[in-house]
Amino acid sequence: MDDFTYHAPATVAEALALRAEGGGAARYLAGGSDLLLAMQRAEPPVARVIDLKGIAALREIRVAADGGVALGAAVTMAAIERHAHLLAHYPALVAAAAAVGGPPIRNRATVGGNVCNASPAADTSPVLLALGARAVIAGGGGERELPLAELWSGPGRLTLLDGELLTAVRLPALPPRTGCGFQRLTRAAMDIALVSAAAVCTLDRGDRITAAACALGAVAPTVLAVAGLGAALAGSRADAGTLARVEHLAAAAARPIDDHRASAAYRREMAGVMARRAMAEACDRARATSGGAA
Amino acid sequence: MVQQAEQQALQQQFRYVGKRIPRVDIVSKLTGAAVFAEDVKVPGVLYGKLLHSPHPHARIVRIDTSRAEQLPGVRAVATAADLPDKRVGRVVKDEHYFARDKVRYVGDRVAAVAADTREIALEAVRRIEVEYELLPPVRDAFEGLAAGAPIIHEDLLRYTVVGPAKPQGGNLCSLNSLTRGEPEAAFGECARVFEQVYTTQMQHQTYLEPHACVAVYNPDRTYTIHTANQGQFPLRNAVAEVLGVPQNQVRVVPAEIGGGFGGKSIMKIEPAAAVLAKKAGRPVRIVMSRHEDFIGGNPRAAFHITLKTGVTADMRMHARTIDVVMDQGAHAMGAGAMAASVTQFAEGPYAIPNLRITSRLVYTNKACTSAMRAPGGPQINFALESETERICAAMGWDGIEFRRRNAMPTDYVNTAGGVNRSVFTLDTLEACLALSGYRHDRARLGPNRGRGLALGNWNVGGNASGAVIKMNGDGSVNVIGGVVDLSGVNTTMTQIVAEALDVPLERVTVKSLDTDSAPHATNSGGSQVLKSHGLACFKASEHIKAQLFELAVDELDASAERMELKGGQVRVQGEPSRAVAVTKLLSQAQGKTGPIVGYGATGNSPRMPSMAAHVADVEVDPETGQVKVVRYCAAQDVGLAINPMSVEGQIHGGVAQGLGQALCEQFTYRDGQPQNAGFLDYKIPSALDVPMIETTLVEKPSVAGPYGAKGVGEPPVVPVPAAIANAIYNAVGVRVTSLPITPEKLRQAIREQERGGGA
Ligand SMILES: Cc1cc2nc3c(=O)[nH]c(=O)nc-3n(C[C@H](O)[C@H](O)[C@H](O)COP(=O)(O)OP(=O)(O)OC[C@H]3O[C@@H](n4cnc5c(N)ncnc54)[C@H](O)[C@@H]3O)c2cc1C
């Protein structure tokens, strides 16, 4: 990884042009906390590095009038951790950001890098997925948007077209009485998740679930939404029986592997436990919110 | 109370010993001025890189280095052909430094290159062509013992044995056994006999600094090697053996060392750097990557321990057999010695009249295990102290009373036939119970919380060591030792010499010098430095005193026996007015005896147990099996703490390392291939995983060490896994008998219990 050129464009357009010129040996760099490790093994070697942190627009957290949020791709975990609106309305995202590495890593690591590295264990991804986030993408042909789930095609693989750039992750506004939760299991503190789960739910005045979603990390080739969970839970009371259904559905949805960190069977069981706990957290927070997210 | 008074009286005798003195190296470490091996600057230095075997077991058909040699910027390539065809080893001579006929583990050294840049060196290594004929690997110790297993060392029975190992042929590198009484017959006299198997994992030392060295081949055909090794003398001897040169032609200069824990008591890259430096005619630096350091390291061996224990109705262990099978890896290294030493301390902190300990050390196609902090200690102790609690639970006995009745007393004749002096088992146990309030709030810890106790020992030996002290004209002194400054050695030696000569600390300089300059000394390991080198420094001080007293005979008109050295004066005891300044004697010496130089030495000394008693409080998440350690208390029998701050630091570090062994660390292989050779995958506890550790020091002087001090580095790692396992049992009622106790393993055990299958 010794001979590469470094570029610090000031605009997205410049970044796209540099990337197009550099071809397959060029890479976008955000915090570099994944990229630098990947560069040590990259074949063919990386010849051009395009640093996105100089692009002001990518470092912004924009709160819309309805309370929804656009997170610039180069927003760091540390910035998420101390953002008042995110702390108030998306505490699960803050918890996930705060779970990434140690403080020095969180000062560099970005949400765009976390998403684009496409690790199934990425901590912010399950929360973003459960919240129904959309990816905003810039490319030669202009801007487009996709549901986040459609961005990942496998471990470390994206559906982005060659040279395309993630500019932001858009979080929809949350309906009233909506809460979110995030849980992760590791072997020791400061570890990549063995299993993680995020949950979102909306309750009506009678404590019945009107909408719910759950996403799992580290139990499939990509971060995974638990399919059919919203429909299965709709109308049911947010009680222990419902949480047991969440556990069951999540464990059934998981497609984990065996490795030296844990067996597939354990990961599957834990996917259920983490999902249940995340959903319990989400329900508690939904009850605690008085009105809408705005 | 009595004990406290005793301790205070002990400490008041001294001015420098027993005090919390900041480390003498603290400023250079904190400012970054300390020079580690990688920092050593030598003009014209080349980058060295090793080629490691990618296969666990294979025959080498052909090695072709020509494509590497042709690469511009490559200055030397070395293979087995560049070294004498001679097997080396500290215990069993079972290893060619560079593989010759076969490779025996992933990471085995095949060749090395030296080049102008790191990139060229890496490329050159890739260009070396090795044709291998793959052989089936021996994946674990039991596979190695099985009939028809692939044989790793075909010539084992023809190998030279220099240590306590007893090779048996096949893959059985050593079989050692010790017996007292008649255990088999004695089981028949017992009220009940318990049997249980315990297993432990391979654990890496995970020192902060990977192995690094710089080698220079000098015009006078000698070698100079700067290295981060735990002992310049053992290393020098090992390198000279590999190179086939006399020991005087290798000069090893100790660099600052970024941790060792036993992992740096073995030669590693130094011979490769030396042979490359000679071939290239330029100095060579080799720094191992973390990956290389894992695959080519010398981790703690995995043990399989079968315990059989017979108890009498009056709570006594009457008979016990301990059968240990050790997964040694490809070469004997330090593990060969461990097989023997384990048999010596496996009796643990107990006195059992009928006892047999058998250890089998088995070659496997994995990294060569060797010394790691208290080699063998925590493995055996995990079995012994888990079993203590299992027996007591089954019999309805109180674990503390059981330990009291079976505790090893002092002056105990051990199973090997030696006498264990200065053993303070019960004092240590009681100190820990008091510190932790063991019984006090045990019932009120809260749901899924439990408290666990373990009592452990490490038997500290001592190896031959010499020290020289030069007294300067102004009465200040320079202490010359050949012991690496690890875990505060130089600070402790400063305190010992300052005390012995009654000179202020700032007038004592202790240096660990190279092998040409210092007298032969032991390596910094096994908690033995204080007992061996510390005593040598003390004796060298006494030698200085004797010379000064002799010089003062005329001046004071008194015999030397009546004199004392106090505050820069030699005085007649009890008559402070009859005194002469040391500086005056020193200037007189110039005209009489010449310079004042003291020499002190110690020979090998027998092992003596140092005790540690630990209490852990844990909280278990029964749904996930996760364990959080919420409180930790450690008491240790230290003789006298020369520097209590250093001793407490050793206890804190030992406990943290023990928690890793207890809960998360495990170096794993699949079909002979390492699975987690890096810190992303090999998990060690971080500051967030380790609770505050409360300590108490039991200070009852030992008969062996200077000022009654004992070795302190190993004991605190020993009882940790058992204390944690016992705490988990008390929290959720399940006993895990294999280390590490990962969340998955514990969850599995809890699930079995939920289904009613648990024991
Ligand atoms: C010590 C350590 C601990 C860690 N712990 C955790 C943890 O606990 N949890 C966790 O989830 N992760 C962890 N990580 C991984 C890493 O920090 C995160 O994935 C981080 O969010 C990556 O962000 P980055 O800005 O550093 O990405 P980079 O390394 O800069 O980029 C990652 C990848 O995404 C591409 N990329 C970046 N931005 C864009 C963009 N806008 N458009 C298109 N492609 C882009 C890059 O080209 C690269 O391929 C850890 C890493 C380290 C080194």
Side-chain angles (χ1 to χ4, degrees):
Chain A
M1 59 172 274
D2 300 272
D3 294 324
F4 62 84
T5 56
Y6 169 84
H7 307 265
T11 65
V12 169
E14 271 177 61
L16 291 171
L18 282 162
R19 175 69 177 74
E21 194 185 273
R27 291 284 186 288
Y28 293 123
L29 168 99
S33 61
D34 281 318
L35 184 67
L36 259 68
L37 292 172
M39 280 171 67
Q40 292 174 10
R41 300 182 300 261
E43 261 328 314
V46 173
R48 165 177 292 202
V49 166
I50 305 157
D51 189 346
L52 304 177
K53 280 203 161 161
I55 305 174
L58 299 191
R59 293 205 315 268
E60 278 175 15
I61 301 177
R62 266 177 292 138
V63 181
D66 66 356
V69 175
L71 292 170
V75 166
T76 62
M77 302 298 171
I80 292 175
E81 278 181 273
R82 49 176 186 256
H83 193 271
H85 184 76
L86 296 175
L87 277 161
H89 300 288
Y90 302 90
L93 178 64
V94 173
V100 173
I105 291 289
R106 294 199 292 276
N107 283 334
R108 299 232 29 112
T110 64
V111 65
N114 204 219
V115 165
C116 290
N117 195 52
S119 158
D123 277 317
T124 60
S125 294
V127 184
L128 297 172
L129 189 57
L131 286 167
R134 295 173 68 81
V136 185
I137 295 158
E143 208 175 82
R144 65 188 179 110
E145 245 187 67
L146 316 164
L148 201 55
E150 291 172 25
L151 189 67
W152 301 303
S153 55
R157 289 206 309 276
L158 297 175
T159 60
L160 288 183
L161 304 174
D162 190 38
E164 275 186 326
L165 172 67
L166 178 78
T167 56
V169 176
R170 227 188 264 289
L171 301 177
L174 299 179
R177 285 178 65 82
T178 298
C180 53
F182 173 72
Q183 294 283 323
R184 83 205 273 260
L185 187 72
T186 56
R187 295 167 301 170
M190 300 255 273
D191 192 14
I192 298 291
L194 215 52
V195 174
S196 62
V200 179
C201 85
T202 306
L203 302 178
D204 66 13
R205 296 277 158 208
D207 220 24
R208 286 184 194 278
I209 293 172
T210 57
C214 177
L216 305 173
V219 291
T222 63
V223 171
L224 186 76
V226 180
L229 181 119
L233 264 50
S236 34
R237 206 169 270 290
D239 59 12
T242 300
L243 291 176
R245 290 227 314 278
V246 172
E247 176 166 358
H248 178 78
L249 288 169
R255 287 180 277 132
I257 53 161
D258 279 313
D259 70 7
H260 62 87
R261 291 187 214 177
S263 72
Y266 179 70
R267 281 197 167 98
R268 179 184 296 286
E269 187 187 352
M270 290 307 111
V273 174
M274 291 299 117
R276 165 168 45 78
R277 290 182 180 182
M279 189 59 83
E281 199 181 358
C283 291
D284 287 346
R285 284 190 176 138
R287 283 186 202 103
T289 59
S290 45
Chain B
M1 279 304 118
V2 175
Q3 190 173 314
Q4 257 177 18
E6 243 175 70
Q7 251 165 266
Q8 266 171 14
L10 197 63
Q11 277 166 4
Q12 273 159 11
Q13 295 170 28
F14 303 117
R15 287 183 74 172
Y16 304 110
V17 152
K19 304 292 182 282
R20 296 174 177 268
I21 307 286
R23 283 174 66 146
V24 295
D25 54 335
I26 197 73
V27 173
S28 73
K29 291 273 166 68
L30 290 183
T31 57
V35 176
F36 290 83
E38 191 180 354
D39 305 326
V40 172
K41 299 268 183 298
V42 196
V45 74
L46 299 171
Y47 293 81
K49 201 77 204 159
L50 270 83
L51 174 68
H52 300 279
S53 166
H55 304 298
H57 198 189
R59 204 166 293 290
I60 298 175
V61 180
R62 183 179 65 91
I63 302 180
D64 183 352
T65 57
S66 55
R67 284 189 61 241
E69 279 154 13
Q70 284 152 15
L71 187 68
V74 171
R75 303 295 169 180
V77 180
T79 64
D82 295 291
L83 291 172
D85 182 2
K86 193 174 71 166
R87 287 191 181 82
V88 297
R90 293 196 312 189
V91 182
V92 180
K93 297 203 177 290
D94 63 358
E95 181 179 21
H96 284 112
Y97 178 77
F98 284 123
R100 242 165 219 276
D101 47 341
K102 289 212 298 189
V103 288
R104 294 179 169 89
Y105 65 102
V106 172
D108 214 348
R109 292 175 289 257
V110 177
V113 302
D116 291 347
T117 68
R118 185 173 156 269
E119 292 66 36
I120 299 171
L122 285 169
E123 176 58 24
V125 162
R126 276 192 287 268
R127 285 176 172 224
I128 297 172
E129 289 166 20
V130 187
E131 192 184 319
Y132 293 105
E133 180 191 319
L134 300 191
L135 300 169
V138 174
R139 292 171 298 185
D140 64 45
F142 285 97
E143 207 170 273
L145 289 173
I151 300 298
I152 297 174
H153 292 272
E154 292 84 350
D155 294 332
L156 174 58
L157 294 176
R158 284 185 289 280
Y159 287 173
T160 308
V161 178
V162 285
K166 294 177 184 158
Q168 305 293 312
N171 291 312
L172 190 47
C173 173
S174 189
L175 172 67
N176 296 71
S177 189
L178 274 180
T179 306
R180 76 190 301 150
E182 292 182 33
E184 275 76 16
F187 281 125
E189 299 153 17
C190 292
R192 196 155 154 199
V193 176
F194 291 85
E195 271 193 83
Q196 182 67 45
V197 170
Y198 292 90
T199 60
T200 71
Q201 78 278 42
M202 205 184 231
Q203 183 189 19
H204 196 275
Q205 294 88 350
T206 62
Y207 28 74
L208 213 53
E209 172 207 31
H211 283 271
C213 80
V214 175
V216 183
Y217 185 63
N218 302 306
D220 65 356
R221 291 192 267 169
T222 61
Y223 298 85
T224 303
I225 301 175
H226 304 263
T227 184
N229 192 275
Q230 286 175 241
Q232 53 266 54
F233 284 94
L235 177 76
R236 177 200 65 181
N237 300 351
V239 172
E241 186 184 14
V242 172
L243 299 177
V245 300
Q247 292 174 351
N248 67 309
Q249 292 181 16
V250 179
R251 175 172 164 251
V252 173
V253 188
E256 293 284 2
I257 179 168
F261 309 107
K264 290 182 187 157
S265 51
I266 298 279
M267 75 169 166
K268 187 108 326 200
I269 43 186
E270 294 85 358
V275 70
L276 287 169
K278 181 179 180 184
K279 268 191 115 169
R282 280 169 63 178
V284 174
R285 170 185 295 129
I286 302 182
V287 179
M288 284 171 83
S289 70
R290 189 58 74 174
H291 178 80
E292 290 176 306
D293 210 292
F294 265 101
I295 65 169
N298 306 107
R300 193 191 282 290
F303 279 23
H304 179 285
I305 303 159
T306 308
L307 262 189
K308 186 172 174 189
T309 313
V311 293
T312 58
D314 66 345
M315 293 177 87
R316 281 176 211 284
M317 287 192 273
H318 181 58
R320 171 169 262 177
T321 56
I322 307 174
D323 286 286
V324 188
V325 178
M326 308 175 189
D327 186 336
Q328 175 200 247
H331 300 288
M333 300 257 176
M338 187 168 73
S341 76
V342 159
T343 56
Q344 285 178 36
F345 64 75
E347 56 199 350
Y350 299 116
I352 305 174
N354 301 286
L355 183 67
R356 169 156 29 253
I357 306 151
T358 308
S359 66
R360 281 180 290 172
L361 189 64
V362 187
Y363 284 121
T364 57
N365 292 113
K366 297 190 205 169
C368 314
T369 64
S370 182
M372 174 170 173
R373 200 171 190 165
Q379 294 104 307
I380 297 284
N381 188 262
F382 170 61
L384 299 186
E385 281 295 84
S386 292
E387 197 64 357
T388 296
E389 291 289 322
R390 205 177 69 93
I391 291 170
C392 290
M395 301 300 288
W397 290 343
D398 176 62
I400 293 169
E401 184 53 32
F402 179 81
R403 287 180 176 91
R404 285 190 184 125
R405 290 204 191 173
N406 291 285
M408 180 184 287
T410 195
D411 299 332
Y412 179 72
V413 178
N414 62 41
T415 309
V419 180
N420 288 349
R421 307 283 310 275
S422 306
V423 182
F424 304 116
T425 318
L426 288 179
D427 304 85
T428 313
L429 175 63
E430 299 301 339
C432 189
L433 296 178
L435 172 71
S436 62
Y438 183 74
R439 292 179 195 280
H440 182 57
D441 51 0
R442 199 146 57 122
R444 289 184 278 119
L445 287 175
N448 298 317
R449 285 199 175 197
R451 176 168 289 171
L453 166 70
L455 183 61
N457 64 299
W458 169 252
N459 296 8
V460 181
N463 290 337
S465 227
V468 169
I469 301 181
K470 301 188 294 173
M471 186 164 259
N472 305 308
D474 62 357
S476 66
V477 294
N478 289 84
V479 183
I480 297 168
V483 174
V484 168
D485 185 17
L486 201 57
S487 46
V489 163
N490 284 359
T491 308
T492 304
M493 297 308 144
T494 303
Q495 290 176 259
I496 289 173
V497 172
E499 187 71 47
L501 296 176
D502 199 32
V503 288
L505 292 165
E506 63 275 12
R507 297 188 142 240
V508 180
T509 294
V510 178
K511 285 266 159 71
S512 173
L513 294 189
D514 62 89
T515 50
D516 282 9
S517 312
H520 179 96
T522 177
N523 76 317
S524 272
S527 302
Q528 53 151 333
V529 170
L530 196 53
K531 200 169 148 209
S532 54
H533 194 63
L535 203 54
C537 286
F538 180 80
K539 287 184 176 175
S541 307
E542 294 291 307
H543 188 205
I544 294 265
K545 272 158 84 173
Q547 293 170 62
L548 292 174
F549 293 172
E550 205 48 56
L551 282 165
V553 165
D554 290 344
E555 184 89 24
L556 297 178
D557 191 22
S559 69
E561 299 84 72
R562 294 182 55 210
M563 294 182 196
E564 62 181 5
L565 180 61
K566 275 260 157 17
Q569 293 183 323
V570 172
R571 308 194 301 215
V572 179
Q573 287 171 30
E575 295 174 62
S577 56
R578 288 174 70 192
V580 54
V582 167
T583 44
K584 187 171 174 196
L585 294 173
L586 289 166
S587 81
Q588 285 174 6
Q590 298 296 326
K592 291 186 187 166
T593 52
I596 303 290
V597 177
Y599 178 65
T602 52
N604 295 342
S605 62
R607 287 172 171 275
M608 290 171 54
S610 288
M611 293 293 166
H614 290 190
V615 165
D617 287 2
V618 303
E619 182 173 325
V620 177
D621 179 342
E623 283 191 341
T624 62
Q626 273 188 316
V627 175
K628 188 170 153 51
V629 184
V630 292
R631 183 175 179 228
Y632 206 96
C633 296
Q636 192 167 316
D637 140 42
V638 299
L640 176 129
I642 300 282
N643 188 333
M645 198 158 67
S646 272
V647 174
E648 286 159 7
Q650 287 297 307
I651 297 177
H652 294 158
V655 169
Q657 210 156 25
L659 290 177
Q661 186 183 15
L663 294 168
C664 56
E665 294 184 38
Q666 178 162 33
F667 189 43
T668 53
Y669 280 82
R670 180 181 283 177
D671 296 330
Q673 290 289 342
Q675 298 297 295
N676 53 346
F679 283 132
L680 179 60
D681 295 318
Y682 182 93
K683 213 60 216 160
I684 61 172
S686 69
L688 297 173
D689 299 293
V690 179
M692 292 304 291
I693 298 160
E694 297 162 53
T695 59
T696 188
L697 307 181
V698 178
E699 295 193 286
K700 293 176 84 73
S702 142
V703 295
Y707 299 105
K710 282 188 168 188
V712 298
E714 331 277 306
V717 83
V718 172
V720 187
I724 294 293
N726 291 341
I728 290 171
Y729 177 79
N730 290 329
V732 288
V734 301
R735 180 158 295 286
V736 179
T737 54
S738 89
L739 294 180
I741 306 176
T742 59
E744 174 161 11
K745 238 183 242 173
L746 182 53
R747 174 64 202 140
Q748 169 94 28
I750 292 171
R751 195 185 311 111
E752 276 161 24
Q753 185 199 43
E754 284 166 356
R755 289 185 188 142

